[in-house]
Amino acid sequence: MRVLLTEDNEGLANSIVHYFTENGHAIDWVSSAEKADSILAHDEFDMLILDVNLPGKSGFELLSSLRIRKNPLPVLILTARADIDDRVSALDLGADDYLVKPFDLRELAARCRALVRRERGKSDNEIQCGNLSFNSATKTVKIGDEIIELRPREVQMLELFLTHLDRMLTKDDIANRLYNFGEAYTPNAVEQILTRLRKQIQGSTLIIKTVRGMGYLAHVHD
Amino acid sequence: MRRLIISLLSFCITSHLFANDTVLRIYSATDIGAIRPMLHEFETLYPNTTIVYREFNTIELFQELLTPTLPAPDVVISSASDLQVKLVNDGFAQPVYDVPEVTSNQPWAQWTNELFGFTYEPVVFVYNKEAFINKPIPHTHEALAEQLREQADFYHNRIGTYDAASSGLGYLVASQDEVAFSLTGRLQESLGRARADIHCCTSLLLTRLTTGDLVFGYNLLGSYAMAKAAYNEHIGVIIPEDYTLAIIRSAFVHRNAKSPPLAAAFITYLRSPAGQKTIANKTALMPLDRRLGSHNDTNNQLQKSTNFHPIRLGPELLLYLDQHKKMHFLNNWSLAMDP
Amino acid sequence: MFTIKEHLKKLTSSRMYSLRQKMLTRTALLMCTVLAILSVGVWHYANTSADYSYDRLLSSASVTMLDGINVAKNKVHIDLPYSAFEILQLAPEDKVYYAIYGPNGDFLSGYSDLPLSPSVTEQASTQPRYELHFYKQQKVRFIVRHKRLSERSVAGNVSIILGQTTIARDEQMRDTLYAALTTLMAVMAIALLVMWVAINRALSPLSWLSSQLVSQSPMENGRLPATKILEVAPLTHAINNYRQQWLDALVAMRDFIADASHQIRTAQATTKAQLEIALSSKNERVDKKVVEAIYQDHTKLTRLTNQLLVHATIVHRGDHQAFTPIDMHHFLQDIITYAVRDYAHTNIEFEYVPASENITILGDEIVLKEALRNVIDNAVAHGTSDRSTTHGVIRISLETYDLDCRVCIEDNGQGIPENQRMHALERFVKVGTNTQGSGLGLAIAQSAALSHQGRLILSKSELGGLAVCFSLPRLTETLHASSNH
């Protein structure tokens, strides 16, 4: 994962760079939006961590110019502004996620991974979620290096969750994906498949939560 | 209409006769002899002025203005106030502003700001002094009427008065007499019965009174009578005590005046203290300002508290100029005078 | 062009202006208008009355003159009476013109060139007619009057046209006009003066107020002296009220700052002490346990700071609320989704009990989100703290309650005893076994509920723990419709 960090506070930036490097991620650091702009022009990054409060051009300005150029680069906004509206406007301007300072570095890294994962899942066949990997072409599932045998419906369900990480899926959403138009299914069927799937992927970093009254949410905890 | 020019006198008072002199043309029904001192004085006040003075009798003057044969005058002067009023009423005059009042309480001596009176001429009785030795002289109209009745023989053919029919002034006096005095009709009848001698002019009547042809003159112009009586011991002047008509000699600026400012100045002069003093002291005329008196008024009769009845300058004078009214009046008058 | 625009802008811009001057100018303008209207009326009246007076002169003079017209010797006999002219003498300056016409319209006497003539058809019985003409370069008012002669020899109407110039009439008209106008203007002037005095009187409380306010500091708890003026009393009352609110807010803020300082500094002191101990340790290697403890305390400090700021922001946002309609179902789904994501690694189970109908409220999404998130965080933190054996359950439910909607967040923790619940809503108050929290979560929720005209209800949950319920007024259909337009 190659990350570009745009942050004017050197102390914080150094810590982030240190943490990301420790965890084996490539991270570049610039201190202003202008510099970020010029680096982004000729280098490829998996994502951008962008501070709002920057000297000169603000983070919001950089973000909106990126989105105007139809650059799909995932962007995570860091904000320390008192006004909570910042977070809303960040999402409105096309940021993919935000974090309010101060934050846990672990949290930051997890959010970054989630964003990159989501972006990669759209293009790559191989989806990596912590220690669980899934090949959408061969439909093979691995936890670490160990291949897990799954039934087709379980694979379908897993694939659905992996492509909708951190999003709430209702039972109907899942059933519609698992069953064809004509196929009859009992409401319990989804529960049963899920229970089996959970058992199979025990030990992986993928957690599937049930929210009664709403549905299901998959989250990678790494 | 008979146009008889009694005296046409082109009179120039000149000491400075320059081509560029201003000419003041005065058409007047006033004896040149009576007005000369004023012309002289005005001429000294306005040295570059040439005064052209033309004398008419009242009716001639009126006719001349209605149908002009001569150049239009600047100032028109006449004692026939009815004709003057008529001329002003018919628009022959132009307004003059800031003309001084001679005295206050004489509103009758001015009509609008066009016609201005400047002399005050009582209408008087004149008698032959010799004829009235040891005889009571009538001092009122009523007394005269009584005497005429009671002593018809004494007055028969020996009393004279103005001819109302031929003299403008005579008509004015006779008609105003009728307005002012309720017994005028009776008096006229008495005059008629006494075969009153009727004349056109005061001067003629005065001459006949002096000679004794007449013993009593009724309704004569006071100014001439007093002037004559002042040096003629044969006649005396009576200012009637019951009422005395007073005729206002008036002047106006003609609407076609060549030099209206000069004309206005002349009228202003006539009514100014200087003009009034000149009238009082140097002329036969009598000033409007009655405080000045007249040098001819030897008996100071003008200063007495007689009931003077000035003939107001005003539109009511038009009444007796109405052709029907006049015809009517003269018919009656002639009938009375010639019974 | 530009300058005109600028000028217009100047005119329309909110320049400062004098109320006194404006009122006076407007009153003066109004009065001028009234004066103009009245003047026209007065002019009309003066004309009418002058006409009336002098027409009567003409009328009586003409009647008198007609008296002098009779039939004698089979002819029209004219002997105009002197009295007719005496009547006209009442206008002494005016010139007089007349003409008399016989029964066949033949001219008998007077002026034959008058600008009008009697019409043959006119009846003697009809009213006299008045006309104004120019004659001999002057204004002349004429009357035409008829008299019926009915002798055998002469029968028909004789007419008299009598005219008089209008000098006296115009003068009377002018006199009346000037007198009336002078009076009018005097009245107007007095009215303006009274107006001026009245305006000054009316504005005097303003200067009194400002002098009172200038002499007092806004921080002082002084009240404006009572006024006897009924109209001013509400203003002083309002100012006093406003000032009181401001002072209250100031006191509240002062308290808050004091509390916040205390809390933050205490936490900072803790961390600092721990760091000092760690630094002064003779041991060369840092004990990871110590760092862990410092990290934990710092996390608490962070949370405290965050919550203080959120609280301050919510309280502050109440001042400039930007309320929008919020679909509560979707709103809660979003919040729950985020909560589930953030607590996915724990064994807490979330539960959502939706309402049977769509519920919309008018609210500030950000404030509500913060408040709900704080309550959920609380529930996560305390609701499950010592139930390691069972799963923590957090139930979020939405239901209608009369005109309000209720959003309840329940947990299966220990809850708060009933006698301490009201206390729990206060700032920095930690209840029961709570040692981790900042003591601000419920205070934030309370502020948010209040700023939405709602309230926060604490009760015991069916699940066994605490139930925190936001009771918020619903947006009814009509209200919703009107707010959309």
Side-chain angles (χ1 to χ4, degrees):
Chain A
M1 177 164 80
R2 190 174 178 202
V3 180
L4 178 63
L5 171 67
T6 314
E7 165 64 60
D8 62 328
N9 185 310
E10 207 178 328
L12 181 59
N14 280 337
S15 302
I16 294 172
V17 169
H18 180 79
Y19 188 85
F20 271 66
T21 317
E22 285 270 283
N23 285 280
H25 298 301
I27 184 159
D28 290 294
W29 167 52
V30 290
S31 60
S32 76
E34 287 84 356
K35 285 178 194 160
D37 228 0
S38 64
I39 285 190
L40 283 172
H42 46 77
D43 266 343
E44 286 283 322
F45 287 94
D46 291 317
M47 72 161 303
L48 171 68
I49 302 172
L50 183 60
D51 185 22
V52 173
N53 258 338
L54 289 171
K57 213 157 95 172
S58 87
F60 285 152
E61 284 171 82
L62 175 61
L63 175 60
S64 56
S65 72
L66 277 180
R67 292 306 181 229
I68 285 167
R69 293 202 300 261
K70 303 256 191 262
N71 190 331
L73 183 69
V75 175
L76 188 143
I77 293 279
L78 298 179
T79 170
R81 287 225 187 149
D83 201 337
I84 329 176
D85 287 337
D86 264 14
R87 306 173 204 176
V88 178
S89 33
L91 296 181
D92 285 344
L93 284 171
D96 298 87
D97 205 349
Y98 66 84
L99 269 180
V100 182
K101 292 176 185 174
F103 45 81
D104 288 349
L105 287 172
R106 212 155 47 95
E107 176 81 7
L108 176 65
R111 294 279 184 94
C112 286
R113 277 197 300 275
L115 282 183
V116 173
R117 195 180 296 131
R118 202 166 78 197
E119 199 55 36
R120 287 227 182 113
K122 285 179 193 162
S123 48
D124 289 7
N125 287 334
E126 184 86 12
I127 303 173
Q128 184 71 42
C129 301
N131 60 359
L132 183 136
S133 63
F134 174 75
N135 190 306
S136 57
T138 60
K139 310 285 181 198
T140 48
V141 182
K142 285 188 199 165
I143 296 177
D145 294 330
E146 191 185 341
I147 294 177
I148 306 290
E149 291 291 337
L150 290 177
R151 297 183 194 175
R153 290 219 199 276
E154 289 163 16
V155 173
Q156 277 179 311
M157 186 183 266
L158 180 66
E159 189 172 10
L160 179 63
F161 277 127
L162 288 177
T163 50
H164 291 85
L165 283 171
D166 290 339
R167 266 176 276 181
M168 196 64 76
L169 294 170
T170 64
K171 201 172 272 183
D172 284 343
D173 290 335
I174 298 169
N176 285 340
R177 189 66 173 269
L178 261 54
Y179 298 98
N180 290 334
F181 222 34
E183 282 179 298
Y185 66 94
T186 59
N188 263 341
V190 174
E191 282 288 348
Q192 283 162 12
I193 297 169
L194 181 63
T195 313
R196 272 204 306 276
L197 178 62
R198 273 194 183 129
K199 207 173 274 173
Q200 294 287 352
I201 60 167
Q202 216 161 23
S204 79
T205 48
L206 184 73
I207 302 165
I208 300 172
K209 299 290 284 191
T210 304
V211 179
R212 250 203 283 168
M214 275 180 82
Y216 309 92
L217 181 139
H219 179 75
V220 179
H221 182 65
D222 49 0
Chain B
M1 178 70 74
R2 181 173 64 107
R3 292 201 63 205
L4 178 72
I5 300 174
I6 290 178
S7 61
L8 189 140
L9 227 156
S10 191
F11 184 87
C12 298
I13 304 160
T14 58
S15 47
H16 321 275
L17 252 179
F18 299 110
N20 59 351
D21 276 357
T22 324
V23 173
L24 180 66
R25 194 176 286 274
I26 302 171
Y27 291 181
S28 171
T30 309
D31 214 357
I32 177 67
I35 207 167
R36 186 178 283 119
M38 275 116 86
L39 302 182
H40 271 299
E41 191 173 58
F42 184 73
E43 182 259 357
T44 49
L45 287 171
Y46 292 83
N48 289 335
T49 305
T50 306
I51 297 177
V52 176
Y53 187 87
R54 202 177 272 261
E55 192 183 317
F56 299 82
N57 84 15
T58 51
I59 291 176
E60 285 162 359
L61 177 59
F62 184 66
Q63 290 299 337
E64 165 58 33
L65 289 169
L66 288 186
T67 49
T69 55
L70 301 163
D74 292 298
V75 177
V76 178
I77 297 173
S78 174
S79 56
S81 25
D82 51 349
L83 298 180
Q84 292 282 81
V85 164
K86 170 83 173 157
L87 287 170
V88 169
N89 198 59
D90 289 2
F92 284 92
Q94 58 172 287
V96 179
Y97 301 98
D98 305 323
V99 174
E101 292 238 347
V102 177
T103 58
S104 53
N105 300 322
Q106 289 180 320
W108 33 262
Q110 177 180 349
W111 188 40
T112 73
N113 42 21
E114 295 177 36
L115 187 61
F116 301 93
F118 64 96
T119 69
Y120 185 84
E121 318 224 357
V123 176
V124 298
F125 298 165
V126 182
Y127 66 99
N128 184 290
K129 282 183 181 166
E130 284 94 1
F132 275 89
I133 294 167
N134 300 326
K135 265 185 87 70
I137 305 166
H139 279 274
T140 64
H141 289 76
E142 208 161 352
L144 177 64
E146 214 166 287
Q147 284 201 4
L148 279 173
R149 228 177 18 254
E150 287 169 4
Q151 308 167 33
D153 290 345
F154 174 73
Y155 285 106
H156 196 74
N157 269 338
R158 293 175 75 194
I159 182 163
T161 189
Y162 253 137
D163 182 4
S166 67
S167 157
L169 207 56
Y171 179 69
L172 174 67
V173 170
S175 59
Q176 288 302 313
D177 230 7
E178 187 179 64
V179 173
F181 186 51
S182 53
L183 299 176
T184 304
R186 229 174 69 202
L187 190 58
Q188 277 174 5
E189 272 173 36
S190 304
L191 286 170
R193 267 201 300 276
R195 288 267 153 219
D197 198 11
I198 297 160
H199 286 282
C200 73
C201 316
T202 303
S203 50
L204 216 61
L205 282 166
L206 286 174
T207 313
R208 289 178 68 92
L209 279 164
T210 316
T211 57
D213 288 348
L214 295 176
V215 292
F216 202 85
Y218 175 69
N219 276 0
L220 274 73
L221 265 187
S223 53
Y224 295 118
M226 282 181 167
K228 186 122 188 170
Y231 58 87
N232 189 325
E233 53 196 26
H234 298 295
I235 54 172
V237 174
I238 301 164
I239 295 197
E241 283 161 9
D242 49 350
Y243 75 91
T244 302
L245 286 177
I247 293 167
I248 312 300
R249 196 177 296 271
S250 58
F252 66 85
V253 178
H254 194 265
R255 66 166 175 226
N256 295 331
K258 291 273 182 328
S259 56
L262 192 65
F266 184 69
I267 287 176
T268 305
Y269 159 72
L270 290 179
R271 284 165 70 95
S272 71
Q276 290 287 305
K277 225 170 265 172
T278 308
I279 295 171
N281 300 333
K282 297 186 180 166
T283 71
L285 305 177
M286 294 176 181
L288 193 57
D289 187 351
R290 288 183 54 211
R291 289 165 307 185
L292 294 172
S294 168
H295 66 107
N296 290 328
D297 181 20
T298 43
N299 297 330
N300 264 349
Q301 295 186 85
L302 282 174
Q303 306 299 321
K304 286 181 187 163
S305 58
T306 311
N307 178 19
F308 284 104
H309 195 289
I311 297 170
R312 201 185 91 101
L313 298 177
E316 64 272 23
L317 292 180
L318 297 173
L319 175 67
Y320 280 96
L321 293 181
D322 182 83
Q323 62 223 58
H324 289 261
K325 188 80 180 173
K326 186 166 184 176
M327 202 171 71
H328 201 57
F329 179 82
L330 286 179
N331 269 344
N332 287 347
W333 188 81
S334 307
L335 276 176
M337 284 300 152
D338 201 6
Chain C
M1 192 63 198
F2 183 68
T3 49
I4 291 172
K5 266 185 187 169
E6 276 219 318
H7 191 67
L8 279 176
K9 209 172 164 190
K10 261 187 197 167
L11 280 180
T12 51
S13 72
S14 52
R15 262 191 310 167
M16 287 204 53
Y17 62 89
S18 156
L19 187 63
R20 180 184 290 127
Q21 211 174 346
K22 210 167 203 177
M23 285 174 81
L24 273 179
T25 346
R26 287 190 180 170
T27 316
L29 276 178
L30 181 75
M31 284 191 170
C32 282
T33 318
V34 171
L35 186 68
I37 294 168
L38 284 181
S39 298
V40 172
V42 164
W43 179 81
H44 183 75
Y45 164 74
N47 259 321
T48 320
S49 73
D51 274 346
Y52 183 72
S53 317
Y54 285 92
D55 283 353
R56 290 179 96 177
L57 275 193
L58 275 180
S59 178
S60 38
S62 65
V63 167
T64 318
M65 283 168 99
L66 279 178
D67 274 350
I69 302 172
N70 290 299
V71 180
K73 294 175 192 162
N74 296 333
K75 278 172 76 181
V76 178
H77 174 79
I78 301 171
D79 184 8
L80 298 177
Y82 191 74
S83 51
F85 283 85
E86 279 181 322
I87 292 169
L88 293 175
Q89 258 186 52
L90 290 170
E93 300 277 273
D94 282 306
K95 293 169 185 173
V96 175
Y97 307 97
Y98 69 92
I100 298 167
Y101 288 88
N104 305 318
D106 42 342
F107 174 76
L108 294 181
S109 185
Y111 289 77
S112 57
D113 59 342
L114 293 184
L116 71 169
S117 56
S119 74
V120 186
T121 53
E122 257 173 316
Q123 291 298 308
S125 55
T126 54
Q127 286 294 308
R129 123 177 99 96
Y130 297 94
E131 280 177 39
L132 190 70
H133 286 278
F134 262 89
Y135 180 60
K136 293 188 194 285
Q137 283 96 47
Q138 54 206 331
K139 267 199 302 178
V140 182
R141 188 148 171 102
F142 287 100
I143 183 174
V144 182
R145 195 185 268 282
H146 309 277
K147 178 181 176 176
R148 178 108 195 132
L149 292 181
S150 38
E151 300 287 318
R152 210 166 356 124
S153 47
V154 182
N157 280 342
V158 285
S159 315
I160 181 150
I161 303 171
L162 177 63
Q164 196 177 23
T165 53
T166 58
I167 297 169
R169 181 216 162 272
D170 289 349
E171 197 171 303
Q172 193 203 321
M173 188 279 232
R174 272 195 299 275
D175 286 352
T176 317
L177 188 64
Y178 292 160
L181 279 184
T182 315
T183 317
L184 261 182
M185 281 196 228
V187 168
M188 292 282 166
I190 290 169
L192 261 184
L193 194 76
V194 168
M195 196 60 206
W196 191 73
V197 171
I199 289 170
N200 279 339
R201 256 328 266 283
L203 290 179
S204 65
L206 266 186
S207 43
W208 172 79
L209 261 184
S210 58
S211 72
Q212 286 294 327
L213 288 175
V214 160
S215 63
Q216 291 183 12
S217 154
M219 301 292 187
E220 279 170 23
N221 195 6
R223 298 179 69 82
L224 288 173
T227 172
K228 281 180 186 152
I229 308 171
L230 274 180
E231 287 80 2
V232 181
L235 183 59
T236 53
H237 185 69
I239 291 175
N240 282 335
N241 246 356
Y242 180 78
R243 206 181 201 176
Q244 195 51 52
Q245 281 181 29
W246 156 251
L247 285 170
D248 290 350
L250 211 65
V251 167
M253 190 180 279
R254 214 178 279 151
D255 290 352
F256 178 81
I257 290 170
D259 285 353
S261 313
H262 171 76
Q263 298 290 331
I264 291 174
R265 285 188 176 135
T266 310
Q268 278 177 330
T270 315
T271 343
K272 198 175 175 201
Q274 284 168 330
L275 280 171
E276 259 181 54
I277 291 168
L279 282 173
S280 61
S281 163
K282 295 197 175 90
N283 209 338
E284 269 305 300
R285 286 187 58 198
V286 180
D287 188 349
K288 205 154 190 185
K289 272 185 195 159
V290 175
V291 179
E292 182 68 28
I294 296 172
Y295 178 78
Q296 287 302 331
D297 279 337
H298 192 269
T299 307
K300 268 202 280 181
L301 174 60
T302 304
R303 188 170 145 73
L304 173 67
T305 319
N306 269 349
Q307 287 198 314
L308 276 174
L309 289 173
V310 166
H311 185 256
T313 314
I314 287 175
V315 170
H316 171 68
R317 274 176 77 86
D319 297 345
H320 55 103
Q321 287 166 340
F323 279 12
T324 50
I326 302 169
D327 179 340
M328 286 307 279
H329 179 65
H330 284 119
F331 179 68
L332 286 178
Q333 276 190 331
D334 277 354
I335 289 176
I336 295 168
T337 303
Y338 278 109
V340 170
R341 183 190 73 180
D342 292 345
Y343 294 109
H345 58 284
T346 64
N347 55 3
I348 289 168
E349 295 212 349
F350 286 89
E351 208 180 309
Y352 175 54
V353 184
S356 52
E357 53 184 309
N358 279 337
I359 295 175
T360 312
I361 66 158
L362 204 58
D364 185 329
E365 209 165 312
I366 289 161
V367 168
L368 282 179
K369 206 172 253 178
E370 286 296 333
L372 282 168
R373 186 59 203 253
N374 265 289
V375 175
I376 290 172
D377 287 349
N378 264 1
V380 170
H382 315 307
T384 62
S385 55
D386 35 38
R387 291 282 188 97
S388 49
T389 49
T390 52
H391 288 303
V393 176
I394 293 174
R395 178 191 286 163
I396 294 144
S397 60
L398 175 65
E399 58 180 343
T400 57
Y401 200 88
D402 287 341
L403 288 172
D404 294 343
C405 81
R406 282 208 170 162
V407 180
C408 292
I409 293 104
E410 300 167 63
D411 62 58
N412 61 346
Q414 269 194 330
I416 300 173
E418 199 175 345
N419 54 359
Q420 289 183 35
R421 275 178 204 146
M422 283 314 289
H423 194 46
L425 293 177
E426 287 170 29
R427 234 170 17 216
F428 304 119
V429 170
K430 295 174 208 168
V431 179
T433 54
N434 179 3
T435 51
Q436 294 294 305
S438 61
L440 270 173
L442 286 180
I444 289 171
Q446 164 99 322
S447 297
L450 290 179
S451 75
H452 283 76
Q453 281 86 47
R455 61 208 170 92
L456 193 73
I457 304 156
L458 300 186
S459 58
K460 188 167 173 59
S461 162
E462 287 175 2
L463 301 174
L466 180 69
V468 181
C469 291
F470 290 84
S471 182
L472 303 170
R474 282 163 68 197
L475 182 63
T476 60
E477 280 308 313
T478 48
L479 258 174
H480 193 168
S482 66
S483 77
N484 273 352
H485 290 131

